[in-house]
Every structure is written in structure tokens, then in C-alpha cells.
Amino acid sequence: MNSQYSRTQQFVNFMQKIVFLHIVLFLMRRFYFLLEKLVPKDKRIALFFLTEKVYFDNSKYLFEYMREKNDFNSILFTPYKSLYHKLNDKFPGEVVYSWSLKGFFLFLRTRHVILSYGISAAAFKPYYLHEKCKNIIYLGHGTPMKKMALQTPPWRKYAKHKQLQKYSYMAGCSPLEQIIHAAGFNIDMNNVWVSGLPRNDYLLQDINLSPSLLVANPFLDRKIILYAPTWREEGYKTHFFPFGDFDAKRLSNFLEKEDAYILVRGHKEDIKRKSVEKTHDFFSIDRVLKADQDRFPDVYELLPYVDVLVTDYSSLWIDYLLLDRPIIYLPYDLDEYKQYKGFFIDFDENTPGAKSSTQKEFITHLQRYFEQPQTHAKWRKKIRDMYHTYQDTESCERVFQEIKKLN
């Protein structure tokens, strides 16, 4: 009887703590919201909130563009101490550590917050982003053909709409992306800018090869195949080289003959959660190398060295279209993926490249693309024009001009 009373009392005490914590958080948010309203905002501050532990993607390219302008005081804002020190060495006086009094007061004074990745609770403590207090500008990190956020079954299944961060404005590449983002993030289509993404300016520059990358990785002057599948939120784990006839020796011989390398880049969420199906010992092949963020923090610096991209449903291929190079798709779990994620448009008709279901087909398709890289060029152009309204190096400038218009 006493033990039952003890367990009941423990449960009551636990629930009291939970209720107390919720009350404290509620009061803190109310107080924070009041501070946001009271502190005057400086519209000349552009705060780039780096929610990831790596300096890369659209925020990187837009920051480096805007810091050369006189219209804004562009600041990198990070909750990660190691990243802060690294960036402060490169951009002294232009980086602020978010877990500091300076960071707290700077954030309150800021009108424009710019980010490329979703809101992470760990990354944003103690800050509270609200579109009524700030212009929250989401540059995104993928041009989608698949359904996004509110349109996907997992979001509905786990009621994630209650956690959805509201954005004030988003950047996109085409009217199609306006529709996809508006539906996925419950945002007015007119607030999705058809500007192009800042990182794509780098791909389209006349000189877009990073010499330091080549010095560190001499194999990049050979034929390079980048294998970059998407992250699977549901369903089975990512399965690399999903071939029933996988033959490491045959693949190795082909790569040797072609003097080619396959760089395997798992999605960062797969690497973080170790959600990869290790069916084959493909890293035993000398010419199959890891290409994760430790080796190549910014995949957009790597893409100009890539001769053939291999993927499944990753949005990386849509930006890669700007380079007009071959793409091979490995949609081994397409039916399952349609069920738990889904596409806005037909996958087969709108993925301009070979589809490989066996290793024999995969090698044949690689061979053909090496010999005739313009195979499927007309198809690629059709899809490229659908996804990219602009195919120039002015995306940073267009986003910059949109931000200048904001109050």
C-alpha cells in the first residue's frame, strides 16, 4: 500500500514539475515578446542565423555577397562556439556568438533574420522567433519536386504542423517552387520570391573550381561520380548501391578502366542518426570514397568537379541541372517513397536521366554518359527551364534587392 502511495505521489510531483515548467516557459515567452515589441529595431542589420554546425549553403553565399554592400550590417550569428571561433578568424568583427549578452541584445535589435535550415530548438535557445516581430527570411536548402512539410503524411501523422515555424518570406527558383513552398509552409505565394538561390551563383560563375579543394583531393582531376541519396524520414533506411547483382570486383574493374572515382555522400541526417543500410562493403573498393561533410563541408564547391551525379529523390540534382551534366537515378523504393513522402509532379517524366535498377544497368549508363555526356541534354534543358526561371549569376543580387524593400 505504501509503495503504491509512493508511486502515486512521485507521479503527482512529476506532473507538478511539468506544469510549473510550462508556466515558466509561457511567462518567459510573454516577457520576451514584450521585449521584442519595446526594443527599437534597426532595419540595417541582416542577421544570418547559422542553425547548423557548418558554414555552407545559401546563407554562406548571400552573406559573402551582402557583406560587400553598404546597405546592411551583415552579421553571422551562431550558437556553436567552435564555429564562432573559426568564422571570427575569417570575418573578424562580423560574427556574434548567440549565447552572449551581445548576441541577446543584437537579436532584439534585429529586424531581418536570414536562415537556410529549419528552426532547431537547441540552436535557437533562448531566442523566440515570431513573424510579427521580425522579417524571417528562409533561403531554404533544396529546390523540391517532392512534397514539403504540411503536405507530407509524416507531418500530419505526428501533428508537426503545431511545431511549424512561420516564415515571413522565402526564396525560390521558379513559379513551380512558389506553389510547392506556399502549400508546404502555409505562406502567401506572393511572399515566395522567384529570385533563384544564392548558392547557384557559384555554380554558374565562369571560374567555379576551388583550387584548394583540388590540392586537398588530387583525385578530383579524374572522372568523378558523386553518389548522393536523400534522407528517408520514414520507411526503410537508405540503401546504398541497391543492386541485387552487386559485384564489388566488377565495379572496381570498371572504375579502374575509366580512371574514375565514386564519391559517396550520405545525407547529413542519415550520418547523424546512422540510418544507413550497410548491405555491401563498397568502401573496400579503392575508388569508392567517403565524401561527407567532414571532407567536403560545402557540396556546392564539389559539384563543379562532378562529371555524373547519382541520386534518388534528393533535390541536389535540380541545382546540378544548371551545369548541364548527366544524372543517374536509383529509385529502388519509389512506390514506398510515394506513400510516405510523395511528389507534386510525376517522377519518371520529370527526372531527366537514366534509371538503374541493377549494377549491370548502372555500369552501362555510366559508360554511355562518359562517352556521350550530351545524352538526354534536351530533356535536361526542358526540366531545367521548368525549375530555374533565372540561369545567371544574379540570384544574390535579386534576394538582396528584395530584402532592401522590407520595412
Side-chain angles (χ1 to χ4, degrees), residues 98-147:
S98 64
W99 286 90
S100 65
L101 280 176
K102 180 180 179 181
F104 182 73
F105 288 115
L106 174 65
F107 193 82
L108 287 176
R109 289 174 49 230
T110 298
R111 171 68 73 190
H112 310 305
V113 174
I114 302 167
L115 60 157
S116 294
Y117 283 78
I119 309 299
S120 161
F124 270 81
K125 288 179 181 177
Y127 302 104
Y128 177 46
L129 273 179
H130 199 289
E131 73 278 7
K132 290 183 179 179
C133 303
K134 299 188 185 300
N135 292 319
I136 308 169
I137 302 160
Y138 184 64
L139 303 177
H141 54 276
T143 302
M145 75 176 295
K146 52 197 175 188
K147 292 180 180 178

Side-chain angles (χ1 to χ4, degrees), residues 201-209 393:
D201 286 358
Y202 178 80
L203 294 182
L204 292 165
Q205 290 174 358
D206 291 335
I207 301 175
N208 59 12
L209 296 177
T393 57

Side-chain angles (χ1 to χ4, degrees), residues 191-248:
N191 292 333
V192 181
W193 303 328
V194 180
S195 56
L197 298 184
R199 66 191 182 199
N200 289 338
D201 286 358
Y202 178 80
L203 294 182
L204 292 165
Q205 290 174 358
D206 291 335
I207 301 175
N208 59 12
L209 296 177
S210 168
S212 60
L213 208 64
L214 182 58
V215 170
N217 305 277
F219 56 82
L220 290 178
D221 66 355
R222 305 296 196 269
K223 294 174 185 173
I224 298 297
I225 304 151
L226 176 62
Y227 183 7
T230 195
W231 175 48
R232 288 155 172 78
E233 298 164 89
E234 298 271 308
Y236 295 108
K237 295 179 179 180
T238 301
H239 183 176
F240 286 91
F241 297 96
F243 308 128
D245 61 341
F246 180 81
D247 184 330

Side-chain angles (χ1 to χ4, degrees), residues 142 144 148 170-172 176-187 192:
M148 303 290 288
M170 300 180 74
L176 173 62
E177 196 168 352
Q178 275 186 310
I179 296 170
I180 295 175
H181 281 328
F185 294 94
N186 191 26
I187 186 172
V192 181

Side-chain angles (χ1 to χ4, degrees), residues 275-325:
S275 53
V276 175
E277 189 70 42
K278 296 181 179 178
T279 306
H280 309 305
D281 186 19
F282 45 83
F283 284 126
S284 65
I285 302 172
D286 290 340
R287 287 174 176 264
V288 175
L289 306 175
K290 288 183 180 179
D292 54 23
Q293 282 189 328
D294 291 337
R295 189 166 200 164
F296 300 102
D298 187 350
V299 71
Y300 282 80
E301 290 186 356
L302 175 61
L303 284 183
Y305 288 99
V306 174
D307 298 286
V308 180
L309 177 66
V310 179
T311 187
D312 41 32
Y313 324 113
S314 171
S315 59
L316 184 65
W317 69 266
I318 296 175
D319 289 347
Y320 187 71
L321 285 172
L322 292 168
L323 295 174
D324 190 25
R325 298 176 191 173

